[in-house]
Amino acid sequence: MLDITTSKARRWILATALSGALITGCSNGGGEGGDAKPRVTPAVEPKPLAEGALHPLLLTQADLGSGYVQVQGQPGEGNFDDIAVQGCPALEKLGQSGAKNMFAAKAETSFTYNTDATLGEELHSDRPSVLSSKLRELFGAYTSCPTYTMTSGTTPIEVKVSKSATPELGDERFAYTSTMELPSGAQVLKTMAVRKGNVAVMLVGAPALVDRHIKTAVGKLPAGS
């Protein structure tokens, strides 16, 4: 049985919600979340930032305020090979695509809030056109099916997905909310990504936490990115 109160389960939930970026590739699934109009037009695109340049841009406890504790290790740490999806062709294809969706550089962190809520962050960097294309494919796949079944080992988990509104931030933004019917009860998570030039920030966790901190996360990105 999956117990969401354990730290292992919290990491698993974060990794699952971000599985397109953490452990799988992308698909050709349609659909977009939020304001996703193409805005990548420069003749010469900025190069990706290095991983070392991304780490200082991550959220910290000082950025978030009291009640947050940084989780040791990475949100995607561990073996998630036994996670599978049924009932959503775009996500099933995404899971078969391997590492081709990985961006040029990535940095990540995660936090617990008052011990019973989570907030995970990923920063990705690549050429703006690459970030734009892959984020569209990723969020398109995740919002292509209103319901699907996910399994972790032999545990089936029913998932409902709906597109979510996004604030006017960055060059492009995408968001969806997923409700996972876990044995311990329903778990609602929001996933939001904002691209600003050659860097994209992605937050996943309790909807209120994502909404509260996305502006701060985007505000840490370089002005010229």
Side-chain angles (χ1 to χ4, degrees):
M1 299 291 283
L2 185 65
D3 183 357
I4 191 62
T5 63
T6 67
S7 60
K8 181 179 179 181
R10 286 196 292 266
R11 290 198 302 272
W12 184 87
I13 287 295
L14 289 172
T16 300
L18 287 174
S19 59
L22 288 169
I23 58 175
T24 62
C26 61
S27 77
N28 293 319
E32 299 170 350
D35 179 0
K37 297 179 181 179
R39 299 185 183 185
V40 182
T41 57
V44 178
E45 293 189 289
K47 295 180 179 179
L49 298 182
E51 180 180 347
L54 291 177
H55 280 284
L57 308 178
L58 289 167
L59 291 170
T60 66
Q61 288 174 273
D63 296 319
L64 300 175
S66 62
Y68 292 86
V69 177
Q70 189 169 17
V71 176
Q72 298 302 313
Q74 300 298 340
E77 195 175 66
N79 184 0
F80 299 102
D81 291 340
D82 63 345
I83 295 176
V85 170
Q86 296 87 37
C88 185
L91 283 180
E92 292 177 41
K93 185 177 180 180
L94 183 151
Q96 297 169 358
S97 300
K100 70 178 183 179
N101 190 50
M102 296 301 179
F103 299 105
K106 179 182 76 174
E108 59 189 311
T109 189
S110 62
F111 303 85
T112 59
Y113 177 65
N114 288 345
T115 72
D116 60 355
T118 59
L119 180 68
E121 180 188 24
E122 288 187 355
L123 292 177
H124 296 280
S125 186
D126 213 314
R127 291 181 291 111
S129 61
V130 173
L131 281 176
S132 178
S133 175
K134 290 184 176 180
L135 285 172
R136 287 169 176 278
E137 290 179 317
L138 177 63
F139 277 77
Y142 268 85
T143 57
S144 65
C145 301
T147 62
Y148 62 90
T149 301
M150 181 172 59
T151 57
S152 175
T154 59
T155 303
I157 300 170
E158 298 300 317
V159 183
K160 298 179 181 179
V161 178
S162 60
K163 295 180 182 180
S164 301
T166 57
E168 293 290 326
L169 295 170
D171 299 314
E172 290 181 286
R173 46 267 182 193
F174 311 80
Y176 66 86
T177 300
S178 55
T179 302
M180 300 181 182
E181 296 295 339
L182 302 172
S184 56
Q187 176 77 8
V188 180
L189 296 173
K190 188 170 188 176
T191 303
M192 185 180 297
V194 175
R195 180 185 68 82
K196 185 178 177 183
N198 62 348
V199 181
V201 57
M202 187 181 297
L203 296 186
V204 59
L209 300 187
V210 172
D211 291 341
R212 185 184 305 168
H213 297 296
I214 186 65
K215 185 175 181 179
T216 301
V218 174
K220 297 191 71 169
L221 303 184
S225 64

